[in-house]
Amino acid sequence: MTNNKEKDIIKDIISTGSEISGGIGSAIIGGLLAGPAGWILGGASGPIVTKIFNSIGTEIKERFLSHREGVRIGAAYTFAIHKIRQNESNGQSLRDDDFFKDVKDNRPASEEVLEGIILSSQREFEELKIKFLGNLYANVCFNKEVSKEHANQLTKTANHLSFRQYCILQLMNEKYIEGQELKFKLRGLDKLEIREIDIIAEFRDLQQRGLIYIPATYDGGNNSDPIQLEKLSITKGGRFFCDMLSLEEIEKDTLDHLNSKTYIKA
């Protein structure tokens, strides 16, 4: 395949995702047109990363996608490439293990992981999550402590969690790092209405996935407090999940709005 065709495949996918990714895609496309042989990155890492995105991109172009699926995939591509460039600009180096190497009778782990993230993005109706799915792939490319299997598990977890759970985790991560106060009000389970139970379910789901810790509490009466907010904590796995998805990039206004809500009235 010629270099021009490689440029066109990646450029077309990124252009399609602009409804979600906005101006980030335009900047990447400009770099593709100006860079050496259409490389996504410069230096020695350029052909490695470009080969991966081009290989998966070729498969994507051969699939039948709805318009919105194409937009989501294009956005995931864009955010992943953007984060890879950011990491490189911040002095990080691509992992130097077997992640990018061809395997006999199988493709590189880097391609398998990227396809998993692309497929997750294709089906993702909560489109605010797509940026962070792209971040996940980029960050895996720079962390050789994350095996292919671990990367696939992180992708599966990221796929199953809601965007609000992303926000909850990041708020708890900030609480862990900076000692900030969480302001959710989660009292009086006996007085809940159906529409108010969902936030409790999201906390319990995070607990079951090993991302947060909720101490068991019960006073023996009707006023049992199922979740005491001041005693909640994020686990090591939860903090790692936040780091790998770069959840610190969630907009502050979004976090502040969530953290100021009273979900359950006493």
Side-chain angles (χ1 to χ4, degrees), residues 231-242:
K231 294 184 179 180
L232 291 178
S233 59
I234 188 168
T235 65
K236 182 178 179 180
R239 297 196 302 274
F240 187 73
F241 182 86
C242 290

Side-chain angles (χ1 to χ4, degrees), residues 47-57 77 99-100 108 110-111 114 137 141:
I48 297 173
V49 175
T50 303
K51 178 185 176 184
I52 297 164
F53 279 87
N54 181 63
S55 176
I56 298 299
Y77 243 64
F99 186 69
F100 298 105
S110 53
E111 291 187 12
L114 179 58
Y137 182 73
C141 287

Side-chain angles (χ1 to χ4, degrees), residues 126-145:
E126 279 196 284
E127 293 179 350
L128 287 172
K129 291 171 54 180
I130 290 176
K131 173 181 179 179
F132 304 99
L133 290 169
N135 285 350
L136 172 59
Y137 182 73
N139 289 332
V140 167
C141 287
F142 289 84
N143 189 336
K144 63 183 179 181
E145 300 302 317

Side-chain angles (χ1 to χ4, degrees), residues 12-258:
D12 288 348
I13 293 172
I14 292 173
S15 296
T16 303
S18 62
E19 290 184 36
I20 295 175
S21 60
I24 295 175
S26 298
I28 293 173
I29 289 172
L32 285 171
L33 296 175
W39 291 358
I40 292 171
L41 298 179
S45 57
I48 297 173
V49 175
T50 303
K51 178 185 176 184
I52 297 164
F53 279 87
N54 181 63
S55 176
I56 298 299
T58 301
E59 294 183 15
I60 290 170
K61 298 295 284 185
E62 294 174 351
R63 296 174 184 172
F64 176 78
L65 301 172
S66 71
H67 170 71
R68 204 64 204 171
E69 287 174 334
V71 169
R72 293 168 186 158
I73 287 174
Y77 243 64
T78 302
F79 289 126
I81 293 170
H82 179 66
K83 190 64 178 177
I84 287 172
R85 287 182 164 184
Q86 280 189 328
N87 288 347
E88 189 184 53
S89 296
N90 291 334
Q92 298 184 47
S93 299
L94 284 177
R95 52 196 296 170
D96 57 2
D97 57 0
D98 294 336
F99 186 69
F100 298 105
K101 294 180 180 179
D102 291 327
V103 181
K104 184 178 180 181
D105 300 326
N106 202 358
R107 57 183 174 166
S110 53
E111 291 187 12
E112 179 179 315
V113 174
L114 179 58
E115 183 175 12
I117 287 174
I118 292 302
L119 288 174
S120 293
S121 301
Q122 176 184 340
R123 298 186 294 262
E124 184 51 66
F125 61 91
E126 279 196 284
E127 293 179 350
L128 287 172
K129 291 171 54 180
I130 290 176
K131 173 181 179 179
F132 304 99
L133 290 169
N135 285 350
L136 172 59
Y137 182 73
N139 289 332
V140 167
C141 287
F142 289 84
N143 189 336
K144 63 183 179 181
E145 300 302 317
V146 180
S147 66
K148 177 186 73 174
E149 293 76 15
H150 192 182
N152 289 336
Q153 182 60 47
L154 286 168
T155 301
K156 185 183 297 184
T157 300
N159 183 42
H160 285 299
L161 296 184
S162 68
F163 180 69
R164 183 165 68 174
Q165 286 175 306
Y166 284 14
C167 294
I168 290 169
L169 283 172
Q170 181 55 27
L171 284 168
M172 296 186 69
N173 197 35
E174 291 178 1
K175 176 187 177 184
Y176 174 84
I177 296 171
E178 303 173 12
Q180 295 185 9
E181 180 184 2
L182 295 178
K183 299 175 183 177
F184 291 102
K185 295 182 180 179
L186 302 168
R187 300 193 303 274
L189 186 59
D190 57 310
K191 301 176 183 178
L192 285 181
E193 297 180 17
I194 293 297
R195 69 177 185 274
E196 299 170 321
I197 294 176
D198 62 332
I199 188 74
I200 291 287
E202 292 200 315
F203 272 90
R204 291 299 186 191
D205 181 53
L206 290 170
Q207 178 189 35
Q208 289 180 347
R209 296 179 187 279
L211 300 174
I212 67 172
Y213 173 68
I214 304 176
T217 58
Y218 184 68
D219 65 5
N222 292 328
N223 295 318
S224 59
D225 189 348
I227 296 180
Q228 293 182 354
L229 198 60
E230 68 276 5
K231 294 184 179 180
L232 291 178
S233 59
I234 188 168
T235 65
K236 182 178 179 180
R239 297 196 302 274
F240 187 73
F241 182 86
C242 290
D243 289 344
M244 291 306 295
L245 274 72
S246 297
L247 294 186
E248 76 278 0
E249 295 179 3
I250 296 176
E251 293 184 2
K252 186 177 184 301
D253 288 347
T254 300
L255 295 177
D256 289 344
H257 178 69
L258 175 64

